[in-house]
Amino acid sequence: MSTVVRERDLTALVVGVTLLGSGGGGDTRAFGRMLRRRLGAGELVLRDAADLPDASVSPIGVVGATSVLMEKLPGGGEFDAAVRAVSRWTGTEVTGLMPLEAGGLNGLTPLIAALDLGLPVVDADLMGRALPRLDQFSWAVAGRSLTPCALSEPSGQVIVVDNVDAAGLERAVRSFVAHTGGWAVLALAPTAVGAATADAVQGSLTRALALGRAHAALDSDATPAAVAAGLGGRLVGAGRVEEVARHLIADGGAAFGRGSICMVDAGSRAVIRIETENEYLLALVDGTPVVTTPDLLCVLDRRTLQPIAVDAIRTGDEVVVVALPGPAWWRRPDRLAHVGPQAFGLSCPPQLLEAS
């Protein structure tokens, strides 16, 4: 069933993809404003794969440093250049788009691209949330190649990458964005829609919209337990952030921010620690792991209930921590190995919520 997005739905959609970011995925606000300007009084339909049986779909999104991206927003031509390049290389015209990831700003960028290019959007993506690495795309985990693909950066440079594995593509992307504008648009090869969605998380944008609508219905005076229930999740705790510790780790030549957040639950007085990288990864209560990636940890401002990003949380913040079920696609043991806590160097088995 297709989902129609109109101007009145955009606030909910922005909040929804932010929640699916689990504290990461980049700042969605600027892209929400861009999408609002592009959409105007029109509408955008999130299509089921069955609605577009003959489409050749390219997963598309932004890669690189999202902090730089906020200072140098896309002009719009980057999407067109990447799509044209991958179409020329493969000899197959792109006739549909889908997100690389549904969490964070990449839940919105394909919608902006679709409006600019006049292409339909398929309601599926390759993560179902935000994750930091290209080898965590569902296509890669399922053993499918991510190449050929095209990268386009703000000054107009375009490259095509082919015949490399996911790790090689990660290195190529890092090198390209490090020597250009800090970020680029990545467009994967156009693929028959049935094959494109067979190893993808389906309905992810519709889920984001539903989450955003549920968030809009919350009462800011509600108890933390009611907030969690309203979002369809489980309360981890609520209280004041007592300590935020951050440091950098090296991984394959790239530096990732790693950190820990400590707080005391206002009701039980339990000590809650959250381990972070680009996203919130693991929550422990009195030293016992209770929630882990790929389930979603969402830290909300206690007063406004707005999601707080990993890089924005500060000592003294009054917060509510809610866990939401992650995408069902990742729950198989062979897939969990790629996105569970041990994939981030955390010596803890996955602690998953009951599937809804």
Side-chain angles (χ1 to χ4, degrees):
M1 182 178 177
S2 298
T3 301
V4 179
V5 177
R6 299 183 176 89
E7 191 276 339
R8 63 176 179 269
D9 301 309
L10 294 185
T11 298
L13 182 61
V14 170
V15 172
V17 297
T18 304
L19 291 171
L20 290 183
S22 192
D27 191 332
T28 57
R29 292 171 297 180
F31 281 82
R33 291 191 291 269
M34 290 174 63
L35 180 57
R36 189 177 299 275
R37 287 196 298 271
R38 298 289 203 284
L39 185 62
E43 64 180 35
L44 185 65
V45 181
L46 307 177
R47 306 276 188 179
D48 284 343
D51 296 338
L52 301 166
D54 300 320
S56 293
V57 177
S58 173
I60 193 169
V62 172
V63 292
T66 56
S67 57
V68 176
L69 182 61
M70 290 304 101
E71 299 172 3
K72 191 173 185 180
L73 293 171
E78 301 89 353
F79 301 114
D80 182 59
V83 166
R84 286 180 181 274
V86 79
S87 294
R88 286 195 304 270
W89 186 263
T90 60
T92 301
E93 182 183 2
V94 172
T95 57
L97 301 174
M98 61 186 275
L100 292 172
E101 59 182 337
L105 59 86
N106 269 334
L108 304 176
T109 51
L111 309 185
I112 297 169
L115 290 168
D116 286 349
L117 304 180
L119 295 173
V121 178
V122 176
D123 188 9
D125 79 298
L126 304 186
M127 290 183 170
R129 48 161 296 154
L131 292 164
R133 303 196 309 264
L134 303 186
D135 66 332
Q136 292 170 318
F137 286 154
S138 58
W139 280 11
V141 172
R144 296 172 55 172
S145 177
L146 300 180
T147 61
C149 63
L151 288 156
S152 170
E153 59 88 35
S155 68
Q157 293 185 75
V158 179
I159 64 169
V160 173
V161 183
D162 202 354
N163 296 321
V164 298
D165 60 11
L169 178 58
E170 184 93 39
R171 290 191 296 271
V173 168
R174 289 177 187 164
S175 177
F176 185 61
V177 301
H179 293 91
T180 55
W183 63 268
V185 168
L186 172 65
L188 302 189
T191 304
V193 67
T197 56
D199 293 307
V201 179
Q202 301 194 40
S204 46
L205 294 178
T206 294
R207 183 191 184 191
L209 184 56
L211 271 175
R213 287 170 173 165
H215 182 274
L218 296 173
D219 185 342
S220 60
D221 294 326
T223 65
V227 170
L231 292 175
R234 189 178 86 193
L235 179 66
V236 177
R240 181 180 183 273
V241 175
E242 301 292 342
E243 183 180 22
V244 179
R246 296 187 172 97
H247 59 276
L248 291 177
I249 61 169
D251 182 5
F256 291 91
R258 181 64 64 80
S260 295
I261 299 161
C262 289
M263 57 180 283
V264 176
D265 183 73
S268 67
R269 306 308 296 170
V271 175
I272 298 171
R273 190 171 96 238
I274 301 175
E275 294 297 308
T276 73
E277 195 174 286
N278 293 14
E279 294 81 29
Y280 300 115
L281 301 176
L282 163 68
L284 305 98
V285 177
D286 285 338
T288 300
V290 294
V291 181
T292 68
T293 176
D295 281 343
L296 303 160
L297 279 163
C298 304
V299 179
L300 310 179
D301 182 278
R302 182 66 186 92
R303 182 177 59 84
T304 66
L305 300 183
Q306 291 301 306
I308 304 176
V310 166
D311 58 3
I313 196 162
R314 298 289 184 268
T315 300
D317 286 347
E318 295 284 344
V319 301
V320 178
V321 182
V322 176
L324 304 176
W329 196 91
W330 292 110
R331 287 181 174 265
R332 274 182 20 186
D334 58 325
R335 296 170 179 172
L336 272 175
H338 296 267
V339 295
Q342 293 170 340
F344 297 90
L346 300 170
S347 56
C348 166
Q351 305 291 318
L352 301 182
L353 304 176
E354 291 185 9
S356 56

